[in-house]
Amino acid sequence: MKEETIRIARQELYEQVWAQPLYKLAKNYHMSDVGLAKLCRRLKIPLPGNSYWQRVKFGKPVTRPPLPVENGVNEAKIRVMKQEDPPVDQNQYEEAQNKIVFEGLSENRIRVPSRLASPHPYVALTEKILRNAKHENSGMIYSRMDCLDISVSRGNLGRALRIMNALIKALEARGFKVLLPKKDESNPHSSYVTSVSILGETIEFGLREFIKRTEREPVPDEKKRYSWYYERYDYTPSGKLILSIKNSIGTGLRKNWSDGKKHRVEDSLNDFVVGLIKAAVDMRAWKLERERQHREWQEKERLRFEEEKRRREQEELFQCLSNDTSAWHKSRNIRAYADAVKHAVIKEHGEILSGSKLDKWLAWAYSQADRTDPLVQNYRYFLNANKLGPSN
């Protein structure tokens, strides 16, 4: 995220506010419609009423109040936080664009035959498993064996297998590798995952049928007698299929292709392949962004570690300096005290006898002062430190 200041004339902002709804205009400035409305009121820019855009939509006459004359500020400064575009693998991106163009050509349209002929090995395996599989209370077939990620009613199984067969064969014909379904062992409740390797990334996808929920009427006293497990709704297959990309990261990417009033999933397989390709590009960009963030984090940690190391070294040096200062003052006090004793005895007796107990004590006292004095102990260090040359 980076901060950016946008400057716009008051007159220009007024024209924009009346050219499109506020919630759409606000997106251009990376802010909320509430924030943009507050800015307009601050600049005394009139705003369209709630019914204005409805009247425009149905061609009814509308009026726009003029912009009031303002002798103060005639320019708006909008500070916004813009999301930086994630890094892109340029080679992968260019290859993806070529493949997207390929999917748009009419001669490359993926067609689903009316009957399942020469099924792909994965499809044949899935058909064998699901034909004999049990079904849930909702009427959906399920299996605990390795098969394609298909969750449909028994009546829609044939259609689902034909769609998957056409899709998998088309993917492999384009050089993409469909991977053998494997269950996520870390999650015992997960379904079997179907995935395809596209442009170096693994994208998961599946085909399922919408389940229709209807509120049911309980038999007399059922809710009262069995309230602890009373089921309020009935769940039945809707007959409507949806083909989904399951591990897409980008929030702006399409993830689902479903049956509609005019189009069926069979008509959208090329668009679905394009969605898989875009998901692969987006996943690579996400990984590159994560790597960039990790490098930034490592650099910040390195700088933090070095700064912490310098801080500790300075603390240690200061502590040594403080200790040396205390030791120096202590050694000076010891010498001063020994000198005072020596002068007092000489003044009283004229001399200190060599080898006497006092003479030995004075020698010991001066040696203790030297042992404590950092100037004496570090004499050679200070001497070397005073020489010119690179410091070690």
Side-chain angles (χ1 to χ4, degrees):
M1 300 288 286
K2 63 178 181 179
E3 185 176 288
E4 181 177 315
T5 301
I6 300 176
R7 297 174 180 269
I8 181 171
R10 182 169 170 265
Q11 178 68 40
E12 184 180 353
L13 183 58
Y14 164 76
E15 296 293 339
Q16 292 180 3
V17 163
W18 288 89
Q20 60 179 315
L22 209 62
Y23 74 91
K24 290 185 178 180
L25 179 61
K27 293 179 181 179
N28 299 338
Y29 296 108
H30 304 276
M31 61 190 306
S32 67
D33 54 345
V34 175
L36 185 57
K38 288 182 179 179
L39 175 64
C40 291
R41 293 189 189 98
R42 197 160 56 243
L43 296 173
K44 298 182 180 179
I45 297 175
L47 298 173
N50 294 332
S51 61
Y52 179 83
W53 297 110
Q54 287 294 324
R55 297 180 67 86
V56 170
K57 180 179 179 180
F58 292 104
K60 295 183 178 181
V62 293
T63 57
R64 185 174 78 171
L67 179 66
V69 177
E70 176 64 29
N71 295 326
V73 179
N74 286 304
E75 182 184 64
K77 295 180 181 180
I78 306 175
R79 297 176 64 186
V80 298
M81 297 299 294
K82 296 187 67 176
Q83 178 72 42
E84 297 183 15
D85 294 331
V88 175
D89 183 331
Q90 195 61 37
N91 292 333
Q92 186 211 42
Y93 178 79
E94 292 175 0
E95 186 179 355
Q97 295 308 306
N98 294 333
K99 292 185 180 299
I100 290 174
V101 171
F102 177 87
E103 295 302 326
L105 301 177
S106 58
E107 60 267 26
N108 299 324
R109 182 184 175 190
I110 304 173
R111 302 181 186 276
V112 180
S114 58
R115 57 184 296 271
L116 185 61
S118 60
H120 186 278
Y122 292 171
V123 176
L125 175 64
T126 302
E127 180 181 24
K128 182 179 179 181
I129 292 173
L130 294 184
R131 289 292 184 192
N132 301 314
K134 298 179 181 179
H135 62 79
E136 300 174 338
N137 293 334
S138 62
M140 309 299 287
I141 301 172
Y142 72 96
S143 173
R144 292 188 175 88
M145 300 177 66
D146 291 345
C147 62
L148 294 174
D149 188 359
I150 296 177
S151 178
V152 296
S153 61
R154 198 172 299 280
N156 254 328
L157 179 58
R159 181 187 168 205
L161 291 171
R162 294 196 305 273
I163 293 173
M164 275 295 208
N165 191 56
L167 177 61
I168 291 174
K169 286 185 174 181
L171 289 171
E172 291 187 344
R174 287 155 172 74
F176 304 141
K177 184 179 179 182
V178 178
L179 305 176
L180 184 67
K182 290 184 179 180
K183 189 172 183 178
D184 182 2
E185 298 297 338
S186 62
N187 182 5
H189 302 290
S190 64
S191 60
Y192 291 91
V193 176
T194 302
S195 58
V196 57
S197 178
I198 293 184
L199 303 177
E201 302 298 334
T202 301
I203 310 299
E204 300 171 1
F205 66 96
L207 181 64
R208 62 185 174 88
E209 182 175 350
F210 280 112
I211 298 176
K212 183 167 56 177
R213 188 184 75 172
T214 56
E215 190 168 1
R216 70 183 184 89
E217 290 292 335
V219 298
D221 296 331
E222 180 186 16
K223 185 174 181 180
K224 182 178 180 181
R225 292 171 57 191
Y226 305 108
S227 59
W228 62 279
Y229 71 91
Y230 168 68
E231 192 64 61
R232 183 177 178 182
Y233 299 99
D234 284 327
Y235 298 90
T236 56
S238 66
K240 186 178 179 181
L241 299 186
I242 177 170
L243 192 59
S244 303
I245 297 175
K246 296 196 166 185
N247 64 333
S248 177
I249 298 173
T251 55
L253 296 181
R254 185 176 178 181
K255 300 178 182 180
N256 299 306
W257 287 256
S258 60
D259 291 334
K261 294 181 179 179
K262 296 183 179 180
H263 296 280
R264 288 158 65 87
V265 171
E266 289 90 335
D267 304 321
S268 306
L269 296 187
N270 290 93
D271 288 340
F272 182 72
V273 174
V274 171
L276 292 172
I277 294 170
K278 290 181 177 179
V281 173
D282 192 69
M283 185 173 290
R284 179 70 59 82
W286 177 79
K287 289 181 178 179
L288 291 175
E289 175 65 13
R290 287 290 299 272
E291 291 173 1
R292 184 191 66 79
Q293 292 177 357
H294 184 65
R295 288 194 298 270
E296 286 185 355
W297 175 81
Q298 286 182 317
E299 179 64 16
K300 289 179 181 179
E301 284 295 297
R302 185 186 66 81
L303 294 175
R304 186 189 65 80
F305 177 79
E306 291 182 354
E307 180 61 28
E308 179 66 18
K309 182 180 178 181
R310 284 193 293 270
R311 185 189 64 80
R312 288 197 303 267
E313 289 174 349
Q314 290 298 315
E315 286 184 353
E316 291 174 0
L317 287 173
F318 179 78
Q319 188 61 45
C320 288
L321 178 62
S322 179
N323 294 339
D324 286 351
T325 303
S326 298
W328 179 64
H329 280 292
K330 187 176 182 179
S331 66
R332 292 185 64 188
N333 290 335
I334 292 174
R335 287 195 187 94
Y337 177 67
D339 289 341
V341 171
K342 180 179 178 181
H343 292 155
V345 172
I346 291 176
K347 183 178 180 181
E348 182 70 22
H349 299 283
E351 64 175 340
I352 296 175
L353 298 176
S354 177
S356 65
K357 189 175 181 180
L358 178 60
D359 184 46
K360 292 179 180 180
W361 181 87
L362 288 172
W364 174 82
Y366 286 126
S367 69
Q368 292 302 308
D370 290 343
R371 186 178 66 82
T372 307
D373 191 347
L375 291 178
V376 175
Q377 299 298 322
N378 300 326
Y379 172 74
R380 293 191 178 279
Y381 167 78
F382 291 130
L383 192 64
N384 292 331
N386 189 45
K387 295 180 180 178
L388 295 177
S391 59
N392 294 324

